[in-house]
Every structure is written in C-alpha cells, then in structure tokens.
Amino acid sequence: MKHLLSVDDLSADAIQQLFETAADMHDVQRREVKKLPALRGRTVVNMFFEDSTRTRSSFEIAGKWLSADVINVSAKGSSTSKGESLRDTVLTVCAMGVDGLVIRHPASGAALQVSEWVDASVVNAGDGTHEHPTQALLDAYTLQRRLGSLEGRHVAIVGDLTHSRVFRSNIQCLTRLGARVTVVAPPTLMPSGVGAWSAAAGFDTSYDLDDVLRRDGGPDAVMMLRVQRERMTGAYFPSPREYTVGYGLTRDRLAVLGPDVPICHPGPMNRGLEIAADAADAAQSVVLEQVSSGLAVRMAVLYHLLAGESEGGMA
C-alpha cells in the first residue's frame, strides 16, 4: 500500500490486518516508555489546511511514538497564505526528502491530487466533504473491540450527513466489515441521490430516529455526527431546538438504548444540539475510547505505509 486516500483502497482483510497492528500499537500506550523504532530516520509532514485538534495531534503523536521526525505545517503559517498554490507548496516540502505526507484540505479530492504530484506516501486526513478514512477505521476498530465483531451488527449513523466525510468513509468501512447500517437525518441534511447510493452500497435510510431506535430491538451501536454549521450556507433546520427534538440523542432517547449499546461521536461535540451531556458522558459512550483508538490506528497506518513488515519495528 503506497497511500491511504480512501477506505475503498482497503479490502476487508486489509482492514483487519490494520486492526491487528493497531491492537499491538494500543499496547504501546500502556508502556512507561511509549516509543518504537519503526520509523527512525523517516520524516512525516502533517499539512493541515483546515483547523483540527484531534486528528493533527493524533497523527503527530503517532509519528513521534514510531520515532519518525514529525513536522507540522498549517495554512496560516505556510506559503499558501501568500498566494502560493497547493501544488507548489507540497512539491517544495517534499523536495526536502519527506517520506510521508498527512494532508487535510477543505477541497474534496485534494489528497488524491497531491498523491499524483509527489513520491512520498500520502495519507488523507480529511478532504472537504469527501472522505476521512482514518476516522472510519478508528470508529470501526473501536466498535469491533466493544462488540467482538461487526458482522451482522446494526449501526445507526445519525446527523448531518450532507456535510460529513466521516459518514461517507464509515459507510464503506462498516459495510465492508459486514455491518448493517441505517443512516438517519432530516430530509434537508440527507445527501442528494442517497436513494440510488444506498441501494448500490447496501445501507438503509430513515428520517425517523425514534423508529430506528425502537425497531427490532434497536441498533447495536449509535454514531452521532456533528452539525457542521461552518459548512452550511443556508437554513437546514428551523432552529437548534427543533433539530434536537427530531434528531438529537437526548436523555429520553438514551433511556431507550440498552446499557451496552456503544455511543460514538467523532468530535468535536455540540453538547445540547446533536448529543445531550447525559449521552456524551454515559458509561456506554466510547468518545474518549475513539480518541485512544485513533492514535493506535494512525500508528498502524503510518507503520504499514512507511516501515512495512520487514522492518520488524514492533518489538
């Protein structure tokens, strides 16, 4: 594997192989000295053209714990703020001998475009509303650790689907691992053409969250998505309160879920809008577990891209 641009690049076997490596990386987090020599001598540049706390920190720590030299570049501190093109910026950076490039960009398809310009391995850390493959991998990894297997499990993905790259990557990842997925959103936040897409990809759609939570014993896991108001150009729902009433994971809806049903959220959370504090902080919430899993999964991704099994760096 040269790049990780999309979940579609990975077979089910390849995903499970990444999860096995991530499990080993998870053990590293419990060590007193959290360092592996796997990427010693390699250089990884995190180029983030959108704000990020979790993903950038996660990739930075992952690279450093694998002993790579890690450099962070943001849009505000780069030559792009002076008008330089993305192509010239990444070519300049990669001319310094970079081995891995982790890129987040507001334009869908940016990571793929960059991968065609450079020799370094490219990891898509989120491109526009297109994909966020490592987020989907860490979500599935977290759920698999909780549920044992995703084969035949029912996962409900709820919220702002139109603007969510997490949703698009999760659909591919969860269905590839055998999960049954139902996506729930108000009509205004359901992606156009979702009917044909759901038929082809094998997932269900609903506008009624309460029905999905109560039908057939309810889902095995619930994934709440952030309302991305910064990407909205119009009024997608009448008011925050009406959104919460229709699609928020409220205290009443939390009571409907079984106590062992994991609650996921990729963060950052809008407490009181898409998720109540009771749900975010519930014993069954795996939000912080997702963060921990994210570090392990990103270590696994960098390891497979830049070290390979022949390096034997896991000892």
Side-chain angles (χ1 to χ4, degrees), residues 20-312:
E20 290 174 10
T21 306
D24 291 331
M25 299 299 180
H26 233 138
D27 292 338
V28 174
Q29 297 182 30
R30 290 188 284 271
R31 295 184 185 180
E32 184 175 353
V33 178
K34 302 175 181 63
K35 277 280 189 179
L36 293 173
L39 299 187
R40 183 179 295 157
R42 304 297 179 94
T43 301
V44 177
V45 176
N46 298 324
M47 301 191 75
F48 277 61
F49 297 92
E50 279 188 332
D51 294 337
S52 170
T53 300
R54 289 164 184 74
T55 305
R56 186 168 67 175
S57 300
S58 185
F59 270 112
E60 181 175 358
I61 295 171
K64 288 181 175 177
W65 282 6
L66 290 170
S67 299
D69 295 311
V70 180
I71 298 167
N72 293 313
V73 175
S74 63
K76 292 177 183 175
S78 74
S79 295
T80 57
S81 64
K82 301 176 182 177
E84 186 175 62
S85 69
L86 175 63
R87 183 176 185 274
D88 286 338
T89 299
V90 297
L91 287 177
T92 299
V93 168
C94 287
M96 301 178 192
V98 170
D99 301 292
L101 202 58
V102 179
I103 184 161
R104 168 172 285 198
H105 198 278
S108 299
L112 172 62
Q113 181 65 79
V114 168
S115 73
E116 294 172 350
W117 291 332
V118 302
D119 292 329
S121 292
V122 176
V123 180
N124 182 3
D127 60 331
T129 58
H130 179 222
E131 276 218 48
H132 195 349
T134 58
Q135 179 67 47
L137 290 169
L138 76 87
D139 290 340
Y141 174 76
T142 303
L143 291 177
Q144 185 165 290
R145 282 167 60 91
R146 280 292 182 118
L147 302 174
S149 169
L150 292 178
E151 183 69 40
R153 296 288 194 167
H154 182 203
V155 180
I157 302 178
V158 186
D160 180 0
L161 305 177
T162 293
H163 304 98
S164 178
R165 54 197 174 206
V166 174
F167 150 65
R168 287 169 175 78
S169 289
N170 261 295
I171 284 292
Q172 296 181 64
C173 192
L174 292 171
T175 56
R176 190 150 298 175
L177 295 177
R180 181 166 67 88
V181 179
T182 300
V183 302
V184 189
T188 50
L189 289 174
M190 191 72 79
S192 62
V194 72
W197 180 18
S198 64
F203 64 91
D204 299 320
T205 63
S206 175
Y207 302 125
D208 190 336
L209 176 56
D210 292 311
D211 177 61
V212 171
L213 296 184
R214 296 178 185 279
R215 192 196 322 154
D216 302 328
D220 295 298
V222 176
M223 183 180 298
M224 303 305 297
L225 297 177
R226 183 171 66 90
V227 175
Q228 299 188 42
R229 285 179 283 196
E230 76 279 10
R231 296 184 189 275
M232 295 181 179
T233 56
Y236 286 81
F237 43 84
S239 69
R241 184 180 180 282
E242 290 202 33
Y243 181 87
T244 302
V245 168
Y247 297 94
L249 186 55
T250 60
R251 180 183 297 177
D252 289 343
R253 291 189 175 113
L254 174 64
V256 173
L257 296 177
D260 297 325
V261 176
I263 298 169
C264 302
H265 193 300
M269 296 184 286
N270 293 312
R271 290 177 181 249
L273 181 56
E274 72 262 5
I275 188 168
D278 295 296
D281 299 329
Q284 67 216 78
S285 169
V286 295
V287 173
L288 293 180
E289 194 175 322
Q290 288 174 271
V291 177
S292 174
S293 296
L295 178 53
V297 165
R298 287 169 179 133
M299 288 177 73
V301 167
L302 292 176
Y303 175 78
H304 279 275
L305 288 179
L306 300 178
E309 296 176 355
S310 61
E311 293 291 327

